[in-house]
Amino acid sequence: MAFLTCDYKSAVLGQNVAFNAVLPEQTDQPARTLYLLHGLSDDHTNWMRFTSIERYANDSGIAVIMPNAARSFYTDMANGRCYYTFVAEELVAMAHRLFHLSSRREDRFIAGLSMGGYGAYRIALKNPDKFCAAGSLSGALDSNRLARSDDWEGDRRLILGEQYDVAGTDLDLRFLVNEIIRTGAPKPRLYQACGTEDFLYSANTEFRDFIQGKGFDHRYEEGPGDHTWAFWDTYIQKAIDFMLSA
């Protein structure tokens, strides 16, 4: 595998940005690609620093693209930058210009932890023609609960402005699931995992129960663990296996 840190001037964000990339060295075929998203207090370096993602990518023969999206929740922020558009559109296009990546939907995946779990699901559900599978590890999957939380006041104002109810909008994962059903769009395959001691455990079991019976290929797994890299290092391997299994 090759490991690169890439810097360029983002037209969407209006600033210099960086992302990390792990790439197969055998490039006779365009690579299947996983876009891998960080959590709220992290950046584009954390997956490489705290997990063996390079080894897992090598074992699977995939490319991994790891962007920095600050504390944006992968949204176009009300009082900040347009990180959703940056990741879902500009970054994907830039990665394809720079590297030998497959453009087929069935070869493109997205996953993340915590804030990145929400971001991965939201991006896949808003772009079901672009991503065939998404993975959420300890995902912050209940955006309505977050929007009403006083503990999240500073970030909430930057991301949402004065909006305190996101139900029925494209910030609500349940709304996006129902929109896919309503429109008949292709359903991304969904992998979900959470530790039983995680503070986001109830939000995860509630989403697990919500998605059942809606026709999605959805796998839920849980096990002992908190909101830690030890848990995510184990379950990102399971997520990759699930996403590649089709």
Side-chain angles (χ1 to χ4, degrees):
M1 302 296 286
F3 169 65
L4 298 85
T5 297
C6 302
D7 298 88
Y8 77 97
K9 180 67 173 288
S10 167
V12 169
L13 299 180
Q15 65 185 51
N16 290 332
V17 297
F19 67 90
N20 281 343
V22 174
L23 303 167
E25 295 180 25
Q26 300 298 325
T27 58
D28 51 328
Q29 296 293 328
R32 295 176 294 178
T33 309
L34 169 63
Y35 291 83
L36 190 56
L37 310 184
H38 65 76
L40 184 66
S41 62
D42 301 333
D43 63 17
H44 61 293
T45 69
N46 285 72
W47 276 105
M48 288 295 293
R49 292 169 60 200
F50 299 118
T51 75
S52 295
I53 188 61
E54 184 172 2
R55 179 158 54 87
Y56 308 147
N58 183 62
D59 292 345
S60 302
I62 61 172
V64 182
I65 307 296
M66 295 163 278
N68 187 355
R71 296 173 66 91
S72 67
F73 261 80
Y74 300 91
T75 66
D76 287 348
M77 304 167 73
N79 297 298
R81 304 294 187 185
C82 295
Y83 281 100
Y84 164 78
T85 301
F86 163 63
V87 174
E89 298 179 13
E90 184 184 68
L91 177 72
V92 173
M94 177 61 72
H96 276 267
R97 287 199 295 272
L98 294 175
F99 309 127
H100 192 40
L101 307 179
S102 173
S103 61
R104 302 193 310 166
R105 173 186 182 268
E106 56 265 37
D107 292 337
R108 188 183 294 125
F109 323 104
I110 189 166
L113 66 90
S114 195
M115 177 185 82
Y118 167 81
Y121 270 17
R122 181 169 184 255
I123 289 171
L125 292 169
K126 279 178 64 66
N127 300 273
D129 59 332
K130 188 181 293 186
F131 295 92
C132 77
S136 169
L137 308 183
S138 309
L141 302 183
D142 189 346
S143 54
N144 286 301
R145 185 180 300 176
L146 289 170
R148 296 189 299 268
S149 171
D150 292 336
D151 296 334
W152 198 52
E153 180 66 22
D155 290 303
R156 176 174 63 190
R157 288 186 179 276
L158 290 174
I159 294 167
L160 301 176
E162 299 303 317
Q163 184 178 2
Y164 288 79
D165 183 2
V166 300
T169 75
D170 70 0
L171 295 171
D172 179 1
L173 298 180
R174 290 166 173 78
F175 171 79
L176 294 175
V177 166
N178 289 330
E179 278 295 285
I180 284 180
I181 295 170
R182 183 185 67 82
T183 61
K187 295 181 174 73
R189 303 173 66 239
L190 301 176
Y191 178 86
Q192 182 188 355
C194 191
T196 52
E197 287 72 49
D198 197 297
F199 73 97
L200 292 172
Y201 179 69
S202 63
N204 275 266
T205 56
E206 288 165 10
F207 187 87
R208 174 201 65 193
D209 296 343
F210 163 79
I211 199 75
Q212 297 304 308
K214 290 184 166 54
F216 283 76
D217 181 0
H218 172 261
R219 179 183 298 172
Y220 174 84
E221 295 185 307
E222 63 179 46
D226 208 330
H227 211 68
T228 65
W229 284 103
F231 183 87
W232 302 322
D233 185 55
T234 296
Y235 281 86
I236 190 60
Q237 301 172 67
K238 299 175 184 289
I240 291 172
D241 289 344
F242 170 82
M243 289 186 283
L244 298 182
S245 62

